[in-house]
C-alpha cells in the first residue's frame, strides 16, 4: 500500500476500491499523531522522520525560485536603468558637441565684430582728427559752415507773417527775415554782414544791406535768425534776388530767390 501526505500534513492511502483511509497527521514540529489525534509510538516517529525532508526540499525550492525571480527582476531593472543612462549620456554628449559648435561660431562672430569695431573706431578717430584740423584752418576764414538758408515774411514790428520755407509773394512781402542753419567750427559772438542784391542793385543804399552780431556754437545742428530787411513804405521790385552772408572778406552763404 502507498502512503501519501497532503499539504496539511495528513497521512493517507488510497484503497483499491477508490476510498481514502486516514492514518494520522504529521505536524510542523515533526510530531506524528494517529487518526484520532493521539501521539504515536517511537516506531511511528521513525516512519514520520522519513517524510520530514520532503517539506524542507520543497521549501528550499520555493526559496530558490523566489530568490531567482527577485534576482531576475533586479537584473532587468538595473539593465533598463543602465540603458537609459547610456542613452542620456549619448544625448548629453551630442548636445555638448552642438553647443560647443554654436559657442565657437558665436565667439568667432564676436571676434569679427570686435575687429570691425576697432577698424571703425580708428577710421572715426582719423576722421575726427582731420575734421579738427580742417576746422582749425577754416575757422580762420569763417566760424561756421552754412548748411541752409530759409526765408519768411514779417511786418515792420517784427511779427511773423508766415513760416520759414513758405513761398514768398511779391504782393504781400514786407520784411524779409533769414534763418541760417550751420555747422559751427568755433564758439563765441561773431559779426556777419548781409548783402541783398536785387534788380536795382544792392538793397540798403550802401555796400551792405545790414550788419548783425550773433552767437555761434561749435558742432552740427545749430541755427540762428538774422534781422528782417524790407521797405515800410514801398513794395519790393519784381525780379531775381541774391541773399549773401559774409564773414570778414569771405562769402560763406548764398541763397537765390525770385519775386
Amino acid at each position: 500500500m502507498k502512503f501519501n501526505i497532503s499539504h496539511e500534513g495528513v497521512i493517507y492511502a488510497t484503497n483499491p476500491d477508490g476510498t481514502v483511509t486516514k492514518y494520522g497527521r504529521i505536524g510542523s514540529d515533526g510530531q506524528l499523531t494517529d487518526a484520532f489525534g493521539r501521539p504515536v509510538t517511537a516506531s511511528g516517529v521513525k516512519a514520520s522522520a522519513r517524510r520530514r525532508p520532503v517539506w524542507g526540499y520543497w521549501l528550499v525550492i520555493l526559496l530558490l525560485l523566489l530568490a531567482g525571480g527577485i534576482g531576475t527582476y533586479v537584473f532587468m531593472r538595473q539593465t533598463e536603468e543602465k540603458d537609459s543612462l547610456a542613452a542620456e549620456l549619448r544625448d548629453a554628449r551630442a548636445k555638448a558637441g552642438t553647443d560647443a559648435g554654436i559657442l565657437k561660431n558665436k565667439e568667432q562672430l564676436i571676434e569679427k565684430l570686435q575687429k570691425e569695431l576697432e577698424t571703425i573706431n580708428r577710421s572715426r578717430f582719423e576722421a575726427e582728427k582731420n575734421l579738427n584740423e580742417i576746422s582749425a584752418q577754416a575757422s580762420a576764414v569763417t566760424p561756421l559752415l552754412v548748411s541752409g538758408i530759409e526765408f519768411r515774411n514779417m511786418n515792420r514790428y517784427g511779427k511773423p507773417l508766415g513760416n520759414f520755407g513758405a513761398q514768398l509773394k511779391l504782393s504781400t512781402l514786407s520784411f524779409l527775415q533769414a534763418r541760417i542753419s550751420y555747422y559751427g567750427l568755433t564758439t563765441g559772438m561773431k559779426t556777419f554782414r548781409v548783402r541783398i542784391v536785387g534788380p536795382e542793385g544792392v538793397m540798403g543804399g550802401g555796400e551792405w544791406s545790414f550788419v548783425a552780431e550773433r552767437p555761434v556754437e561749435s558742432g552740427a545742428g545749430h541755427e540762428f535768425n538774422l534781422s528782417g530787411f524790407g521797405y515800410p513804405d514801398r513794395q519790393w521790385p519784381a525780379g531775381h534776388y541774391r541773399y549773401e552772408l559774409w564773414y570778414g572778406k569771405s562769402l560763406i552763404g548764398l541763397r537765390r530767390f525770385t519775386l
Side-chain angles (χ1 to χ4, degrees):
M1 181 178 294
K2 183 178 180 181
F3 293 94
N4 298 298
I5 300 176
S6 68
H7 293 291
E8 291 80 11
V10 177
I11 302 172
Y12 66 94
T14 303
N15 299 316
D17 58 358
T19 60
V20 177
T21 301
K22 179 179 179 183
Y23 291 95
R25 178 187 295 274
I26 182 171
S28 59
D29 57 355
Q31 179 64 46
L32 185 64
T33 58
D34 61 13
F36 300 100
R38 296 173 297 186
V40 300
T41 62
S43 61
V45 173
K46 292 180 181 180
S48 65
R50 288 194 297 269
R51 293 291 181 175
R52 289 183 64 189
V54 175
W55 289 100
Y57 174 78
W58 285 108
L59 180 60
V60 170
I61 292 176
L62 179 61
L63 292 175
L64 289 174
L65 291 175
L66 182 61
I70 294 175
T72 301
Y73 173 77
V74 172
F75 176 78
M76 293 180 63
R77 288 290 300 171
Q78 290 180 344
T79 302
E80 291 177 357
E81 292 178 359
K82 179 181 178 181
D83 293 342
S84 177
L85 290 174
E88 291 180 2
L89 180 60
R90 288 194 300 269
D91 293 342
R93 287 176 177 173
K95 186 176 184 298
T98 303
D99 292 343
I102 294 175
L103 180 60
K104 184 177 180 180
N105 291 336
K106 289 183 177 179
E107 289 177 348
Q108 291 176 348
L109 178 60
I110 291 173
E111 183 178 359
K112 178 182 178 182
L113 292 176
Q114 287 177 340
K115 291 181 179 179
E116 292 180 355
L117 181 59
E118 290 176 358
T119 302
I120 292 173
N121 286 335
R122 285 195 298 269
S123 300
R124 179 182 177 184
F125 176 78
E126 292 296 331
E128 290 179 349
K129 181 180 178 182
N130 294 334
L131 180 60
N132 290 334
E133 292 177 354
I134 294 173
S135 298
Q137 296 174 1
S139 61
V141 179
T142 175
L144 54 83
L145 301 177
V146 176
S147 58
I149 300 177
E150 293 182 301
F151 302 116
R152 73 177 175 185
N153 186 20
M154 60 187 302
N155 63 20
R156 61 188 303 178
Y157 304 106
K159 180 180 179 180
L161 301 178
N163 298 323
F164 283 110
Q167 184 178 1
L168 299 175
K169 296 182 179 180
L170 179 64
S171 60
T172 58
L173 180 59
S174 180
F175 282 76
L176 180 72
Q177 184 181 32
R179 181 173 66 185
I180 308 299
S181 302
Y182 67 92
Y183 180 96
L185 302 177
T186 185
T187 300
M189 293 296 295
K190 304 298 177 180
T191 301
F192 302 94
R193 292 180 294 176
V194 176
R195 177 185 289 153
I196 304 175
V197 183
E200 300 174 354
V202 178
M203 302 179 66
E207 183 180 2
W208 307 101
S209 301
F210 64 92
V211 177
E213 189 177 29
R214 293 290 184 273
V216 175
E217 298 181 49
S218 61
H222 300 297
E223 60 187 21
F224 58 75
N225 297 341
L226 291 173
S227 305
F229 179 87
Y231 298 103
D233 53 356
R234 69 184 181 94
Q235 189 178 22
W236 287 61
H240 300 292
Y241 289 81
R242 190 170 70 249
Y243 193 100
E244 300 176 353
L245 180 65
W246 290 74
Y247 179 78
K249 298 180 179 181
S250 301
L251 176 64
I252 62 175
L254 174 65
R255 175 70 185 272
R256 302 176 186 274
F257 62 97
T258 302
L259 295 176

